[in-house]
Structure formats: structure tokens, C-alpha cells
Amino acid sequence: MRMGKRRVTLITAVWKRHDLTGLVLNRFRNIKAELADMINLELIAVGSEGDKSQQLCENHGFAYVEHDNMPLNRKYNAASRLAQESNPDAVYRIDSDDWITSDAITNSLTKIDEGHLAVGLLDLYFLDLASFRLGRWPGYGFFNNTKRMWAWRNRGKTVGVGRCFSRELMDELGWEIWDQEQELSKWLDTNCDERLKERGHKIKGFTMQQLQTFAMDIKGGGENITTQTFSNLRIKWVKDAKSELYQHFPKEEVDSLIQLSQSIN
């Protein structure tokens, strides 16, 4: 283990939904500031809208790389490869519509220090931005989903929000978390899982409680979310979304999210 301050590189990808993306990049920048005494958190974003996405990312303290939006696996790999230049102990992959707390990063790194090559979450919260409903999805377990066979096949699978990869594993993957040969528009998490499986590895899953974090996928910042999106997942809706979020995130960040929710209605 390296002496001195640890180094983690966070990678994300941006595409449209600029208001929401700005709030998410701001969350990551605030995590960087929060962890500054313990961890040197490098921020990398890949975007596909030229100056518009470059300015948005650089204004929030991100190193920026441009790539075509499709195929998504190649777009994300552009950020993944760039991460090697910062010489990190681990790479943390998260989407630009996800909020986490800083504990997700510190505690994932602890698990990697304990010997896991990759770490992910088994459960997460969904926020429906338009209605401002917040609910916890317990993950891919058998009883958590109406599609039982699908859930059984995916049991133990980690969610896509916040996956942490050790330097050792990144070296083995040639710093490409996804298969570069394929052309994917979705199923990136599955592609990553299969890529690890071919090499005899699997992402070790922990619950939010085990990693002492709060992780949230924000739905509805531009894409169509129907009740169908949530109906196959057995989500436990929180009574008071605002007070729950105020417990985990700075007030001004939550207020900005509430304002964004009100502006899209």
C-alpha cells in the first residue's frame, strides 16, 4: 500500500440534461473537497457535445475528454483509459445522474485494501425527479422484483451506481472496464460483469448500510420515466423524501435539487 495520501480517480460520462448534470458534478466536486485531507480524488468526465459539455465539466473541476456518445462502452472506456494517467489506487465509476455520499468512496477503498479487486453496491435509492418521490430498491434479490426468473439469474449482482475497481484489476483489464470490440447502447453493467467473469473475477457487493453510504439514482431529468419503470422493482417508498435527503446531503445541494424538480413541472 502506498504511503501518504491515497489517490482515487472518479470517472463519469455526460450527455444532455445539463441542469441535472451540473448538480451531480457539483456533488462529486464537493466530495473531492470533503475527502481532501485523506484522499486525492481526481475527477474525469467524458462528453459528446463539444464546448457545451467541456465547459460544464471543466467549470466543476473535471478533466474532460471528448468522444462520440455511441457506442456507450467506447465512450466510457475513453474516460477509463484516461484514468491511468493519474496513477490511482482505485477507479470509481458512476453515472452523471447519481448522487452518493463521500463514505461510498472511502469505504469502497477500505474494502479494496482488504483484498477485494472490485466493490459495488447491492441496493440503492431511486429519486423520481418530477414527483420528488424517493424509494429504496433492495437490489436484485428474488423477492425484490416481480420478474422472479430475472431476479434469480441476477442475484448477488451489484447495481451500476458507484462501482470501485482496484488498480490491480485495472491493470489486468488494460484500463478498459468495458469490452472495446462491441458496440453497446445499453447493458454496460452486464458487459463489465461478463468482462470480469471471463478473467475469473466478480464485483463484491455490499449494502449501502455496510458501506455507510446513501446512493441515489435520479430519474426523470429529461428522459421519460413511466410508472412502468418502477413497477417491476419492489421499491419501498420513503414517506418524506426531503427530510431523508437533508439527513445525508448538504442543505444547499438538496434545495437545488428541489428547485430543479419544481422547474420541470
Side-chain angles (χ1 to χ4, degrees):
M1 199 186 305
R2 232 184 269 194
M3 296 304 290
K5 219 193 292 189
R6 310 300 298 284
R7 194 186 290 272
V8 176
T9 299
L10 179 151
I11 62 171
T12 194
V14 303
W15 175 247
K16 309 223 162 141
R17 298 177 307 178
H18 302 128
D19 291 341
L20 176 59
T21 301
L23 294 185
V24 173
L25 298 181
N26 184 52
R27 172 93 291 264
F28 300 154
R29 178 173 57 183
N30 288 347
I31 288 174
K32 177 184 170 91
E34 234 176 278
L35 297 179
D37 290 343
M38 296 176 287
I39 290 174
N40 193 343
L41 186 67
E42 300 285 339
L43 305 173
I44 293 177
V46 56
S48 312
E49 298 165 86
D51 291 346
K52 192 175 260 187
S53 43
Q54 180 166 2
Q55 279 178 341
L56 179 66
C57 295
E58 290 180 350
N59 287 347
H60 288 89
F62 276 72
Y64 179 80
V65 57
E66 175 82 14
H67 196 281
D68 290 343
N69 192 51
M70 291 292 169
L72 277 180
N73 49 314
R74 293 183 191 164
K75 177 176 179 174
Y76 248 119
N77 268 341
S80 187
R81 283 190 299 270
L82 187 58
Q84 187 174 13
E85 293 182 15
S86 51
N87 196 20
D89 297 301
V91 172
Y92 196 88
R93 168 264 196 263
I94 189 162
D95 283 326
S96 58
D97 52 5
D98 300 332
W99 268 20
I100 50 164
T101 62
S102 58
D103 292 328
I105 292 175
T106 50
N107 293 328
S108 294
L109 190 57
T110 300
K111 296 295 181 191
I112 279 175
D113 288 342
E114 288 168 7
H116 300 291
L117 286 176
V119 171
L121 284 166
L122 293 170
D123 59 342
L124 82 160
Y125 283 87
F126 283 106
L127 178 72
D128 181 18
L129 194 57
S131 64
F132 220 77
R133 286 205 306 161
L134 177 73
R136 182 179 159 266
W137 179 48
Y140 289 98
F142 190 60
F143 297 109
N144 305 336
N145 306 281
T146 51
K147 295 181 175 174
R148 289 286 174 85
M149 281 311 297
W150 172 81
W152 179 251
R153 278 199 303 273
N154 284 298
R155 67 196 185 281
K157 178 180 162 78
T158 56
V159 300
V161 177
R163 291 178 155 192
C164 192
F165 302 88
S166 67
R167 178 198 181 81
E168 185 184 342
L169 182 59
M170 292 301 295
D171 280 337
E172 191 177 332
L173 294 172
W175 292 81
E176 290 179 342
I177 294 174
W178 297 271
D179 183 350
Q180 186 69 7
E181 299 304 308
Q182 295 186 39
E183 297 190 11
L184 302 174
S185 61
K186 54 184 179 180
W187 312 121
L188 287 195
D189 301 330
T190 302
N191 176 259
C192 166
D193 291 339
E194 285 167 358
R195 195 158 154 70
L196 297 191
K197 194 177 173 182
E198 284 166 9
R199 291 161 175 77
H201 305 311
K202 185 182 175 183
I203 297 174
K204 174 66 180 167
F206 296 94
T207 62
M208 288 185 284
Q209 197 173 2
Q210 286 172 317
L211 291 183
Q212 297 171 319
T213 189
F214 186 99
M216 170 171 83
D217 186 349
I218 303 166
K219 296 291 184 195
E223 78 276 53
N224 291 327
I225 290 298
T226 61
T227 47
Q228 192 58 40
T229 311
F230 293 123
S231 68
N232 290 327
L233 310 174
R234 296 218 167 143
I235 290 178
K236 297 174 171 63
W237 297 102
V238 171
K239 281 200 179 67
D240 185 346
K242 291 175 186 175
S243 71
E244 183 70 32
L245 293 177
Y246 282 133
Q247 286 176 47
H248 300 283
F249 301 105
K251 183 177 186 304
E252 60 275 15
E253 288 188 59
V254 178
D255 288 344
S256 298
L257 200 56
I258 294 167
Q259 277 175 337
L260 179 58
S261 168
Q262 289 165 348
S263 76
I264 61 176
N265 285 322

